[in-house]
Amino acid sequence: MLLLACAANETSAVAEERRWPSEKVSGTFHLHADFPLQDRPTIETDLVELRHEVTTRLNLPSTRDPIHLFLFSEPQTYQAYLRIHYPNAPARRALYIKEGRGPGMVFAYVGEDFTEDIRHECTHAILHTALPQLPLWLDEGLAEYFELPR
């Protein structure tokens, strides 16, 4: 009975994940957006290049762990989503969240600093796939370092 309940919860989580208007998988990045991803064609390329840059410069193993990006066209939609699903999350322009052994998740909205926000939070996600116990000072420093393109 417990197994069926777990399977039902997993199925509903997967179904909710597939409700996004625009979704795409690019390598280990799973993009979910409330706007057409075609409107921002460089996101995929930027993410692949960022992963390569971080793992190469830091000599890290490139893992197959998925990283989910949840992208919003408006800050209000982003904030409302976080209030519902992560009510204790800090109020920031973008967030990286990893719960237990689940996948790393990045949340962001399209704004003036969208590219830097995505690179910063995805750097956290990439680092944590290879180095889950990274000290906060080093984690933040590296995320700031890689948030701007080369």
Side-chain angles (χ1 to χ4, degrees):
M1 203 60 155
L2 180 60
L3 182 59
L4 288 175
C6 290
N9 286 341
E10 184 176 325
T11 303
S12 65
V14 170
E16 182 178 329
E17 185 177 302
R18 291 188 184 142
R19 288 190 201 143
W20 291 81
S22 187
E23 296 183 304
K24 199 165 207 176
V25 176
S26 181
T28 58
F29 293 100
H30 297 248
L31 290 84
H32 314 275
D34 69 357
F35 58 86
L37 286 166
Q38 306 88 282
D39 291 354
R40 296 214 165 246
T42 62
I43 290 176
E44 289 178 74
T45 307
D46 291 346
L47 292 172
V48 171
E49 288 174 2
L50 175 65
R51 175 182 281 289
H52 178 74
E53 184 179 357
V54 171
T55 57
T56 301
R57 285 199 181 179
L58 301 177
N59 197 27
L60 297 175
S62 185
T63 68
R64 308 279 315 147
D65 295 351
I67 298 169
H68 290 264
L69 279 81
F70 298 92
L71 307 174
F72 301 86
S73 59
E74 300 290 330
Q76 299 86 345
T77 311
Y78 161 80
Q79 292 160 352
Y81 184 90
L82 288 177
R83 271 194 306 274
I84 292 167
H85 296 283
Y86 300 96
N88 296 324
R92 296 195 181 125
R93 288 190 321 243
L95 286 172
Y96 164 68
I97 297 174
K98 181 161 176 41
E99 296 180 314
R101 297 197 294 176
M105 299 176 290
V106 171
F107 300 87
Y109 64 87
V110 177
E112 191 175 312
D113 300 314
F114 181 66
T115 301
E116 289 82 11
D117 291 343
I118 295 291
R119 288 180 61 89
H120 182 101
E121 300 305 331
C122 284
T123 298
H124 288 305
I126 294 164
L127 290 170
H128 283 262
T129 62
L131 304 167
Q133 300 300 321
L134 195 61
L136 182 60
W137 64 268
L138 184 55
D139 189 20
E140 276 304 321
L142 290 169
E144 286 186 27
Y145 177 81
F146 286 107
E147 73 184 20
L148 296 176
R150 281 190 244 181

